Amino acid sequence: MYSVWNDFLNLIFPARPFCPLCGEHSPDKNVCGRCRSTLDSYLLEHRCRKCGRFPGKGAVLAGSPFEHLCFECRKHKWPFALARAVGPYEGILKDSIHRYKYARRRVLALTLAPLMAEAYRAEPLYTEIGLILPVPLSGEKLRDRGFNQAALLAKELSVLLQIPADVRTLVKKFETPPQAGLPRAARESNLKDAFDMIKAEKVNGKNILLIDDVFTTGSTLSAVASVIRLAGAKHVFGLTAATGRYF
Amino acid sequence: MNRPLVVLAFFFAAGILAGEAANIQSSTALALAFFSFFTAVTGCILAWKENRRVILILFFLLGMVLARIEAEKVETQLAGYTGQRVVMTGRVMAEPDVREDKVFYPMQAQELIKAGERHAVSGTVRLQASEASQVFAYGDVLMASGLLIRPEPAGNPGGFDYRTYLERHGIKVVLLARGQDAVQKTGIGGSNPFLNAALKLKQKLSAAATASLTPSQSAVLNGVLFGTQGLIDRDTRWSFQKTGVVHILSVSGLHVGLVLGGIFGLMRLLRLPPNLTAAVTTPALIFYALMTGLNPAVLRATIMALLLVWAHHLGRERDWPTTLAFAALVMLAWKPLELFSPGFQLSFTATWGILYLGPVFTGTFSRLFKNLPGNMALPAAQALSIPLAAQMAAVPLVAWYYNLVSLVSIPANLLAVPLVGLVMGLGMFAACLGMLWLPLAVFINASTAAVLDLFLALIGIFQRLPGAVVYLATPPLLLAMAWYGALTAAAAAYNGWRPVCLQRLKGWVPAGAMTFVVVLLIWWPWGGGNRLTVHFLDVGQGDSILVQTPGGKNMLIDAGGRPGEFLSGSGTGEQVVAPYLRSIGVSRIDALVLTHPHEDHSGGAVFLIDNFPVDLAVVSTTGDAGNKGDSGVSEGASDIPDGYKALLDKIALNGTPLQVAESGDTLRLEDGVFIEVLAPKEDAVQKEQELNNISLVLKMTYGRRSFIFTGDVESEAQKELIRTDEVLRADVLKMPHHGSRTLLPELLEQIQPEVAVISVGAHNTFGHPSLYTLDLLDRCGARVYRTDQDGAVIVQTDGNYLKIWTGKKRD
């Protein structure tokens, strides 16, 4: 049904022959060659083997890229097993996510989700995922925006990866001040008790793939992941469209 | 192809065209469509590579099926009762169209009583109720007694074809009901509750304007707000037409846009969350569309606006060609024959122009305006480019349907559109308040009236500007197609050809060139330069004959006229003769001949004199009131209508030379065309009592062919004619006096016409043409053409051969 609806939408709002990420002309309506090579270059970059973030300019690197562990992950224990992203939150990805979230171009989920699926497949450590869960929005925010950006990605990924997704199990009970611009400690206390699960039995003993749009400091992802862990999930893995850089 | 819907819409429309042209059974077409549907399904299952072609064919066939079904639906047993007086019961199936002096009801017939017998019937009828003080509503069941007729097709080529117009709306017969008690309400039938609610609300809302404004103001305001058209007088409509702002008068895309903007503003004001936008706008726009009568422009704009809103809501990119195509598909699937309505065509081409050509103009203008202070360059460029783009796209259609192009439409639109926003805002506000308390509406509408007056005054100023409007002949189809081709190519060149497009185009170049050459060969007016054409126009009861010489000179013999036209100046001249002249590209009259002072011959000249340059007016002796002074008018002509005298004064005032002609005079229009005046003789005029008998009689010879135009001469003057030494023999005879009884057989014997044309109105009260005359004509072996049955009769000759065609086919 979902795909019939999408086909219908594609009929009356067909994709234009432009790259969905950068807007340049692209005859096959898909990510254009330049964006493709940018994305591919991210694969060659170093990244933290735990949180998946990319090292920024001046970050000290040692050893082989995949053994690399960022400073944060060395001193901090995350409730999730690991997190990965398509690329750093900058350039085309940042622009696209802005258009996706704030200009409400939901159609971009159809571009971002396949890229995330690629990132998922490139990471051998994702094992036996039993359920995909999106990071929830509070009811107020959902009404305002009209859609949950993470839930749309989760639904698309569910189709692409052939793994069931559940967009209703996780809830955000109240609206918290925006995370953007807050220091780490404030972010964590900000989110304390904000998330909850209904039907906790759904995650029992499963490996969970947690979806969000951006991983900045990891506070949101870890707050949700702890809730899921408490509900009895085995492991929680994170997957986001973009991730931050560390220094 | 990136836009499947655009291609599908084109194929669907082509199917409708084919369905209109081809006369195949809808069942056959349906069977074909089913076959291709199953082929498509099979192809889909088998993932056949060429399946898309099948789907295109399927849409073509679907268009054809729907067009055929619509065409066949018109057929009704009611057609068997035409020309009879009947009593009919039926349900009003849509909003009645209220005019100043009549009301049109689209009626679903249920029962028909004829000579005391009841028959159950079905079919759609247009009930025309005249002199009815009460207007019934949508959904009422009415019983009407009157005359059932089939509407008339166009008499003159290019004229309004009432028959086809109604048939395209599914109506074959019209019931004419006159008098107070001819129409009575007998009950309430089923009605669509939403439509009913919308119409009721509209009635309540428009009541505020009616109560607080003058009739002409409220007619315009209700037209602007709700698309109520019937009460806007013709002059107002015409001046909007001439200034290119007629889209404002009827509800169109602009209005839907303003309503959408109003809803957005209200939502912002009420702080409603943005994700409710689509949910709120959808019912509101649909309701507005229902209220305004679902005309093509509103429907198109509503569908496109809804798609825009939902694209935003669903986070999709909107693609306007697809949106436009989707609107067309929905509308054509609902009413396939709308494809032929001018409103549909104009709305879609203008929108295409705005969306396709608009950006090109905007780009050009904003570069021109880059020196403007502040950020004015872009808004100024857009304000100019939108009306310009719309007009460029619509020009061929406007020329086709209205034979004019407005040169002031861009400035007029620039000024009018903001004013319309103001008028709509104020008017809607007043209408809503008026439902609460009428005096509030009166208060608000005081300012609405001021804005409206300003608006109408501006339109008036623009209309009167010299060169505001240019009249164009109906363009050939080829020219219109070339125009669109050139526009598309120019815009594509401006946007930069994409290599893909070029490559795709290359394959079509030989095919396109072939078609062009073939069409050129068919359409080229081969050797049309040496022909003389005489148009006997269908002006109802009356005469009007246009002679076009090979050199392009135009002589108009009489101008038709309805009772009262001398005084009012509007009637046949304005509505029949002038449009016909314009449609064939006649912009000046080299000679205007008025055979005699009767209104059915000279009435139309009142309008023509004011609206066409006339180089020479030729009149009969008696009418010469101006030159000879009052005493010079012969005593017998005391019954010359005052209107005719006023007309002659007007002609003189305009500086047009007024020439009095009598027998023996000749008129030199052009070498090779000899026009001589055979009657009246001056001495004969003096003793003549009957105005008809002083008619100018002209004989025109071109090569070996001759025409004789006899005005309204009756027996006495005919006797005079026979007595003259002139050679009367002619190939084409304009029958004297609309084919009345007063025809001398001797006259026919002398003329020996090959063709006789009777200019006469259908159902006239004089009994023209008389059977006696028709019988005489039959015996002399002339081919008889009648303008009441044949419409216009057009005779063309190269000096040797006569070619005759008529405006309509005989029933």
Side-chain angles (χ1 to χ4, degrees):
Chain A
M1 201 51 224
Y2 180 66
S3 85
V4 172
W5 173 242
N6 257 345
D7 286 346
F8 174 70
L9 288 186
N10 279 335
L11 190 64
I12 57 174
F13 306 119
R16 304 299 314 119
F18 301 110
C19 169
L21 296 182
C22 65
E24 287 296 311
H25 187 252
S26 156
D28 63 352
K29 308 170 213 171
N30 219 323
V31 178
C32 67
R34 254 178 51 199
C35 292
R36 191 72 256 177
S37 61
T38 310
L39 293 175
D40 286 344
S41 76
Y42 293 149
L43 288 178
L44 301 175
E45 269 199 59
H46 300 289
R47 63 177 73 191
C48 172
R49 71 165 184 240
K50 179 81 176 174
C51 66
R53 285 187 298 168
F54 291 82
K57 233 185 249 167
V60 185
L61 299 179
S64 105
F66 288 101
E67 287 309 302
H68 184 70
L69 201 61
C70 75
F71 178 66
E72 202 90 53
C73 294
R74 264 179 265 169
K75 66 165 199 183
H76 191 93
K77 195 161 165 39
W78 297 108
F80 49 82
L82 62 89
R84 290 291 177 265
V86 177
Y89 187 49
E90 60 197 26
I92 47 169
L93 275 178
K94 187 172 182 174
D95 289 347
S96 313
I97 289 170
H98 264 257
R99 265 185 294 139
Y100 175 49
K101 261 170 82 172
Y102 302 118
R104 296 181 208 165
R105 293 272 181 262
R106 285 195 223 185
V107 70
L108 276 168
L110 299 180
T111 308
L112 293 173
L115 295 177
M116 289 166 76
E118 280 171 32
Y120 173 89
R121 293 199 181 101
E123 178 51 70
L125 290 175
Y126 285 121
T127 39
E128 288 172 30
I129 304 289
L131 186 64
I132 298 177
L133 294 180
V135 169
L137 286 183
S138 68
E140 189 187 329
K141 194 64 169 267
L142 190 59
R143 266 195 300 283
D144 232 38
R145 184 168 294 159
F147 66 101
N148 177 353
Q149 70 275 16
L152 279 188
L153 292 173
K155 276 195 233 173
E156 274 305 313
L157 278 167
S158 161
V159 175
L160 291 168
L161 302 178
Q162 297 292 308
I163 302 171
D166 191 323
V167 298
R168 288 178 221 281
T169 305
L170 278 168
V171 289
K172 192 174 185 184
K173 289 181 290 187
F174 49 83
E175 181 52 26
T176 52
Q179 292 289 77
L182 290 180
R184 176 176 196 96
R187 286 182 176 227
E188 273 169 13
S189 69
N190 196 1
L191 291 171
K192 213 166 177 302
D193 304 328
F195 297 102
D196 200 2
M197 286 207 76
I198 46 175
K199 293 197 213 145
E201 67 280 2
K202 279 207 165 180
V203 299
N204 206 354
K206 282 181 189 159
N207 283 351
I208 304 297
L209 184 64
L210 187 57
I211 305 296
D212 202 359
D213 50 348
V214 187
F215 182 108
T216 318
T217 60
S219 321
T220 313
L221 219 57
S222 71
V224 183
S226 0
V227 173
I228 302 174
R229 288 284 293 278
L230 271 177
K234 213 155 81 188
H235 294 291
V236 179
F237 298 90
L239 180 61
T240 60
T243 189
R245 284 194 185 269
Y246 63 84
F247 298 96
Chain B
M1 183 69 187
N2 292 323
R3 295 162 171 143
L5 274 187
V6 177
V7 188
L8 291 181
F10 267 109
F11 272 80
F12 193 75
I16 294 173
L17 276 176
E20 176 84 358
N23 198 14
I24 62 168
Q25 288 281 315
S26 65
S27 47
T28 318
L30 197 63
L32 282 172
F34 265 116
F35 176 71
S36 69
F37 175 71
F38 287 116
T39 316
V41 171
T42 320
C44 185
I45 294 167
L46 298 177
W48 184 30
K49 209 173 81 194
E50 300 297 319
N51 203 23
R52 58 185 212 105
R53 289 172 205 274
V54 180
I55 293 173
L56 294 182
I57 295 170
L58 171 66
F59 268 75
F60 179 83
L61 289 172
L62 279 179
M64 196 145 115
V65 170
L66 289 179
R68 288 315 303 166
I69 288 177
E70 283 296 305
E72 284 166 20
K73 226 162 62 183
V74 173
E75 295 306 326
T76 157
Q77 71 264 45
L78 290 171
Y81 295 95
T82 48
Q84 303 181 25
R85 295 201 69 84
V86 295
V87 177
M88 191 186 287
T89 315
R91 185 176 66 88
V92 181
M93 52 189 284
E95 196 195 4
D97 179 0
V98 184
R99 303 290 172 91
E100 227 168 305
D101 52 347
K102 56 191 169 232
V103 186
F104 292 119
Y105 298 96
M107 202 162 84
Q108 183 77 51
Q110 293 166 343
E111 196 183 59
L112 183 137
I113 304 169
K114 163 83 187 141
E117 268 182 81
R118 284 167 185 274
H119 308 274
V121 290
S122 64
T124 316
V125 184
R126 178 178 239 209
L127 168 60
Q128 178 179 336
S130 317
E131 306 148 37
S133 51
Q134 195 187 356
V135 176
F136 301 99
Y138 163 65
D140 288 352
V141 175
L142 304 181
M143 191 167 81
S145 63
L147 183 68
L148 203 62
I149 59 158
R150 272 202 84 183
E152 282 299 312
N156 298 312
F160 176 61
D161 189 344
Y162 194 30
R163 179 174 291 181
T164 310
Y165 167 79
L166 284 185
E167 279 180 1
R168 295 228 162 105
H169 288 81
I171 297 171
K172 188 145 188 168
V173 287
V174 176
L175 182 63
L176 300 176
R178 286 179 188 282
Q180 289 292 341
D181 306 321
V183 183
Q184 271 157 352
K185 181 173 167 179
T186 57
I188 291 176
S191 60
N192 178 337
F194 294 108
L195 183 54
N196 210 357
L199 294 180
K200 287 262 154 60
L201 180 68
K202 168 179 166 178
Q203 218 164 31
K204 287 213 175 96
L205 287 172
S206 28
T210 321
S212 52
L213 296 170
T214 65
S216 64
Q217 282 172 338
S218 73
V220 172
L221 182 60
N222 282 333
V224 168
L225 278 182
F226 309 112
T228 319
Q229 296 294 299
L231 294 175
I232 300 169
D233 61 89
R234 225 187 31 249
D235 285 349
T236 313
R237 168 167 294 280
W238 190 232
S239 58
F240 275 68
Q241 185 74 260
K242 281 204 268 193
T243 43
V245 290
V246 77
H247 61 101
I248 285 170
L249 207 54
S250 57
V251 171
S252 68
L254 173 67
H255 303 67
V256 174
L258 287 171
V259 168
L260 193 65
I263 298 172
F264 284 166
L266 261 178
M267 288 193 67
R268 189 66 74 74
L269 216 64
L270 298 173
R271 292 176 184 282
L272 289 175
N275 74 322
L276 282 181
T277 312
V280 171
T281 7
T282 307
L285 281 185
I286 292 177
F287 198 75
Y288 183 69
L290 278 178
M291 203 155 79
T292 51
L294 293 175
N295 75 43
V298 175
L299 210 51
R300 178 201 56 71
T302 306
I303 293 172
M304 289 183 75
L306 287 179
L307 283 181
L308 168 78
V309 170
W310 280 98
H312 195 75
H313 186 82
L314 296 168
R316 289 287 180 142
E317 300 282 352
R318 184 187 55 133
D319 175 47
W320 68 258
T322 302
T323 322
L324 200 62
F326 182 75
L329 264 181
V330 170
M331 289 166 69
L332 292 179
W334 182 45
K335 284 183 180 172
L337 300 185
E338 281 285 277
L339 183 64
F340 304 103
S341 91
F344 181 93
Q345 294 167 0
L346 279 168
S347 179
F348 274 88
T349 40
T351 314
W352 171 82
I354 290 172
L355 294 172
Y356 186 76
L357 307 172
V360 176
F361 291 132
T362 311
T364 316
F365 287 139
S366 53
R367 241 173 289 143
L368 276 177
F369 296 161
K370 63 175 181 282
N371 293 330
L372 281 185
N375 298 326
M376 284 308 291
L378 193 62
Q382 274 170 342
L384 267 182
S385 61
I386 288 175
L388 179 63
Q391 190 174 23
M392 293 289 271
V395 156
L397 283 175
V398 178
W400 182 282
Y401 287 113
Y402 306 106
N403 295 118
L404 57 81
V405 166
S406 173
L407 296 185
V408 293
S409 90
I410 291 159
N413 270 292
L414 279 180
L415 283 173
V417 169
L419 281 180
V420 167
L422 199 58
V423 166
M424 272 192 85
L426 284 171
M428 202 54 112
F429 189 44
C432 294
L433 287 180
M435 283 183 48
L436 300 175
W437 195 42
L438 200 58
L440 278 177
V442 176
F443 179 69
I444 304 280
N445 269 344
S447 42
T448 320
V451 181
L452 264 178
D453 283 341
L454 174 65
F455 179 56
L456 293 176
L458 274 174
I459 302 287
I461 290 171
F462 276 118
Q463 185 206 340
R464 280 190 293 275
L465 285 179
V469 73
V470 172
Y471 293 98
L472 295 177
T474 307
L477 205 55
L478 189 66
L479 189 64
M481 273 154 49
W483 174 267
Y484 286 118
L487 277 187
T488 316
Y494 178 88
N495 290 332
W497 295 95
R498 295 226 184 83
V500 190
C501 301
L502 274 181
Q503 223 148 48
R504 208 179 275 163
L505 225 63
K506 242 176 215 161
W508 287 97
V509 165
M514 283 282 281
T515 330
F516 186 77
V517 168
V518 169
V519 173
L520 207 66
L521 285 175
I522 296 170
W523 283 61
W524 197 255
W526 298 111
N530 63 343
R531 291 187 185 154
L532 177 99
T533 315
V534 180
H535 311 247
F536 298 87
L537 301 191
D538 174 12
V539 289
Q541 181 68 11
D543 271 23
S544 184
I545 301 149
L546 173 72
V547 177
Q548 285 190 295
T549 64
K553 291 274 186 350
N554 297 295
M555 172 170 74
L556 189 69
I557 304 173
D558 288 338
R562 292 178 194 151
E565 192 160 341
F566 273 140
L567 209 64
S568 67
S570 80
T572 310
E574 183 184 4
Q575 290 159 38
V576 184
V577 183
Y580 184 78
L581 293 182
R582 282 169 184 155
S583 79
I584 60 169
V586 173
S587 55
R588 74 182 304 122
I589 300 170
D590 297 285
L592 173 65
V593 179
L594 301 176
T595 56
H596 67 288
H598 278 155
E599 206 159 27
D600 59 338
H601 290 250
S602 303
V606 179
F607 181 84
L608 296 181
I609 275 294
D610 281 339
N611 289 276
F612 285 83
V614 179
D615 288 345
L616 173 70
V618 180
V619 294
S620 178
T621 345
T622 315
D624 181 25
N627 285 358
K628 285 186 182 170
D630 282 347
S631 57
V633 178
S634 57
E635 303 89 68
S638 54
D639 56 346
I640 293 176
D642 291 337
Y644 182 72
K645 290 178 191 156
L647 172 66
L648 294 190
D649 288 344
K650 204 178 206 172
I651 292 174
L653 206 68
N654 282 1
T656 304
L658 190 66
Q659 197 66 51
V660 179
E662 54 189 40
S663 76
D665 290 348
T666 57
L667 181 63
R668 285 181 64 93
L669 264 188
E670 183 179 307
D671 288 342
V673 182
F674 301 100
I675 302 165
E676 47 194 325
V677 182
L678 304 184
K681 278 206 175 81
E682 187 162 18
D683 54 332
V685 168
Q686 299 303 330
K687 52 180 192 262
E688 193 47 67
Q689 294 296 317
E690 176 58 58
L691 278 179
N692 280 340
N693 282 331
I694 60 148
S695 285
L696 285 172
V697 176
L698 303 183
K699 186 174 172 192
M700 178 173 74
T701 311
Y702 176 61
R704 288 165 45 205
R705 294 291 179 172
S706 53
F707 297 73
I708 186 160
F709 306 102
T710 54
D712 270 1
V713 288
E714 297 190 41
S715 318
E716 296 79 9
Q718 289 175 22
K719 266 180 218 149
E720 287 287 328
L721 260 182
I722 295 164
R723 246 179 283 157
T724 54
D725 321 324
E726 308 278 353
V727 182
L728 292 179
R729 220 208 79 67
D731 301 287
V732 180
L733 162 67
K734 203 293 295 184
M735 287 297 288
H737 200 204
H738 320 292
S740 80
R741 256 194 84 83
T742 54
L743 175 71
L744 297 180
E746 296 83 359
L747 186 72
L748 273 188
E749 276 164 27
Q750 289 221 3
I751 296 175
Q752 296 176 352
E754 187 181 316
V755 173
V757 180
I758 306 175
S759 188
V760 64
H763 314 297
N764 68 75
T765 48
F766 309 99
H768 298 156
S770 84
L771 288 175
Y772 165 77
T773 306
L774 289 176
D775 192 44
L776 276 183
L777 279 171
D778 193 36
R779 259 185 278 159
C780 88
R783 263 187 292 166
V784 179
Y785 291 91
R786 297 169 53 171
T787 60
D788 59 339
Q789 292 180 350
D790 298 304
V793 181
I794 299 164
V795 185
Q796 195 174 58
T797 178
D798 57 357
N800 285 315
Y801 299 100
L802 285 184
K803 195 177 149 200
I804 302 173
W805 65 96
T806 58
K808 62 183 176 191
K809 296 225 158 32
R810 283 193 191 195
D811 287 328

